[in-house]
Amino acid sequence: MSWTAVARKDFQDARLSRSLWLLTGLFVLFAAGMAWIYTEIEALGGSDPELTALGLYDFLASSATLFVSIAALVLAYKAIAGERDSGSVKLLLGLPHSRLDVVFGKVVGRTATLAVSIVLGFVVALGVIVALYDAYSLVDYALFVGVTLLFALVYVSLMVGISASVATSGKAAALAFGTFVVVELLWGAVATAAVYVANGFALPATIADYPTWYFGIVSLSPSAAYQSALATVLDGASTTGEIVGGTAEAVYLEPWFGFVWLTLWLVVPLAIGAFRFSRADL
């Protein structure tokens, strides 16, 4: 047995849970509702002679980041810490699983659970697009869904890494919620504070005077990286997540570098969590 067995059991348990179907229902309402609302907002194109789906991706992405990140937090923060609380982790490790198998299996299982909700939601939203939009590309839509699934994997990995790092669900909840608040709600303030300190406790007069590394910090957050990644694969999207500023020589400000940031968020927290879990006294 290996991480695949852990992932399979984790997904099967979630499939029988009401929380999965509640999450799926909410995401279906969210995705379909946003696709319809976009048609009704005159400023975003609801009154255009030809309503296209390209602008919808920007409209959806800014809200999807919040929905997916919160869903990943709820689904994954107790993935391992909860097992340690209940003592079931000892039973799990009594089977031929290594601790690394448990960590990877939890990531795959919880990501698959969240992916079901996301895919079903976007399938229903596609029906709205086909019915109400004048122009759309199935390839672009598939790319949009694919990058969103990657973002979900990144966030689940981050939360499982946190769960693996601590001994109790309470600590996992506090650390997961704190991380969410910092990287999703306060990240811009963190970058501004860094500039304030580096500039002698004063802010530059205009945005053009901000150092290039400031824009790099802003683009580092998972949500900004996700929107930069979307800008790379969706040619012509306006991408609200694109960073304005810096210099042409700063490679980390290129939209494709969003995939690099997402990879770091995927690997680093999970590696730290797996390392701590491997040495934890259970």
Side-chain angles (χ1 to χ4, degrees), residues 235-256:
D235 184 31
S238 62
T239 61
T240 56
E242 187 175 353
I243 305 301
V244 179
T247 66
E249 291 77 17
V251 66
Y252 51 80
L253 297 183
E254 295 289 339
W256 64 263

Side-chain angles (χ1 to χ4, degrees), residues 56-264:
L56 172 65
Y57 303 142
D58 290 325
F59 187 61
L60 267 177
S62 58
S63 301
T65 54
L66 188 61
F67 191 102
V68 171
S69 57
I70 292 176
L73 187 158
V74 173
L75 281 175
Y77 84 92
K78 291 175 66 175
I80 294 176
E83 300 264 16
R84 294 176 69 175
D85 269 349
S86 66
S88 58
V89 70
K90 295 181 180 178
L91 177 61
L92 187 60
L93 292 172
L95 300 170
H97 303 308
S98 69
R99 297 192 185 194
L100 196 58
D101 287 335
V102 172
V103 173
F104 286 154
K106 292 292 185 179
V107 170
V108 174
R110 301 297 164 107
T111 301
T113 301
L114 183 54
V116 168
S117 300
I118 292 173
V119 170
L120 288 177
F122 283 141
V123 166
V124 175
L126 179 60
V128 176
I129 292 172
V130 171
L132 300 180
Y133 287 66
D134 300 309
Y136 55 88
S137 166
L138 292 179
V139 173
D140 283 349
Y141 194 73
L143 289 171
F144 171 74
V145 175
V147 176
T148 302
L149 290 173
L150 173 61
F151 178 68
L153 170 62
V154 167
Y155 242 99
V156 170
S157 178
L158 171 61
M159 294 303 159
V160 171
I162 289 172
S163 187
S165 299
V166 296
T168 66
S169 297
K171 291 180 179 178
L175 186 56
F177 180 73
T179 300
F180 167 79
V181 169
V182 171
V183 301
E184 291 299 327
L185 305 179
L186 300 178
W187 195 256
V190 170
T192 301
V195 172
Y196 180 78
V197 173
N199 198 47
F201 298 97
L203 291 176
T206 66
I207 193 68
D209 297 324
Y210 277 63
T212 300
W213 56 260
Y214 163 80
F215 301 99
I217 294 176
V218 172
S219 69
L220 175 59
S221 74
S223 292
Y226 162 68
Q227 292 184 333
S228 293
L230 282 178
T232 302
V233 301
L234 297 178
D235 184 31
S238 62
T239 61
T240 56
E242 187 175 353
I243 305 301
V244 179
T247 66
E249 291 77 17
V251 66
Y252 51 80
L253 297 183
E254 295 289 339
W256 64 263
F257 210 82
F259 285 106
V260 178
W261 294 137
L262 288 174
T263 301
L264 290 175

